[in-house]
Amino acid sequence: AQTVTQSQPEMSVQEAETVTLSCTYDTSESDYYLFWYKQPPSRQMILVIRQEAYKQQNATENRFSVNFQKAAKSFSLKISDSQLGDAAMYFCAYRRIPYGGSQGNLIFGKGTKLSVKP
Amino acid sequence: ETGVTQTPRHLVMGMTNKKSLKCEQHLGHNAMYWYKQSAKKPLELMFVYSLEERVENNSVPSRFSPECPNSSHLFLHLHTLQPEDSALYLCASSQSRVNTEAFFGQGTRLTVV
């Protein structure tokens, strides 16, 4: 069974600084998707960034980038130039490629609470 | 705003009550999901609907009863709940059940007293 582990329950960063959130996962699949979702106090889960496992290039979305290490099954999120609005829970998620009638459901980690200090 | 709307935002109910959670999406998606988010636990997938047909039920107790009358609406009917059912219930949708990306609503914070 696939699992997703986020080893940092809480992290803190100074405004304008850079922070990296860790995520590891376990799977026997060779192709899959990885995601980082952000959940602010408003509770709405918002997709931050997505990575396809078959792509070697790390995904980037403005100030957000990932370090995808497939062999190590590691998928960390780097937030550059942190802003107060980045404060939220961040969830790492895995989804295998669904085939036929199977369902590739999202599997989430427990989350990392990020605080941004002014 | 992701296009997925959940009501109510907060709900307090007694263990003998019957209530329903509602989810609506205006994205033209064909798949909808219910997740349970408890403190210090990963999100748990409860139900998956694809084209209004339930395709997955992850061993959820029968006191939770989903309903999908059409591809835009999803309900979660609640009856005789337990205090441990208190949690944030999140609805999500995706273009199809094989699509990579899910869009989430803001959730209903449920407290069972």
Side-chain angles (χ1 to χ4, degrees), chain A residues 2-3 5 8-9 15 23 40-43 52-53 56 59-60 62 67 70 73 87 89 95 97 99 106 110 112:
Chain A
Q2 295 91 2
T3 58
T5 302
Q8 305 153 316
E15 193 176 7
C23 173
S42 67
R43 306 182 321 211
E52 289 90 345
Q56 292 186 331
T60 299
N62 299 317
N67 183 4
K70 191 172 183 180
K73 297 179 183 175
M89 283 290 291
R95 185 175 193 178
I97 307 293
Y99 295 104
L106 278 171
K110 290 186 178 182
T112 297

Side-chain angles (χ1 to χ4, degrees), chain A residues 4 33 35 37 39 41-47 50 91 95 98 100-106 108-110, chain B residues 2 4 9-10 33 35 37 40 42-43 45 48 56 88 90 97-102 104-109:
Chain A
V4 177
Y33 301 105
F35 307 87
Y37 278 88
Q39 187 180 38
S42 67
R43 306 182 321 211
Q44 192 149 37
M45 200 79 78
I46 301 165
L47 180 67
R50 175 178 70 189
F91 293 92
R95 185 175 193 178
S102 69
Q103 171 69 17
N105 296 323
L106 278 171
F108 288 86
K110 290 186 178 182
Chain B
T2 62
V4 181
R9 292 292 306 277
H10 302 271
Y33 313 79
Y35 283 87
Q37 186 178 21
K40 302 189 190 306
L43 270 75
L45 179 65
V48 180
E56 190 150 340
L88 180 67
L90 289 165
R97 65 185 178 94
V98 299
N99 189 267
T100 60
E101 189 171 322
F104 285 81
Q106 290 181 293
T108 295
R109 173 70 66 191

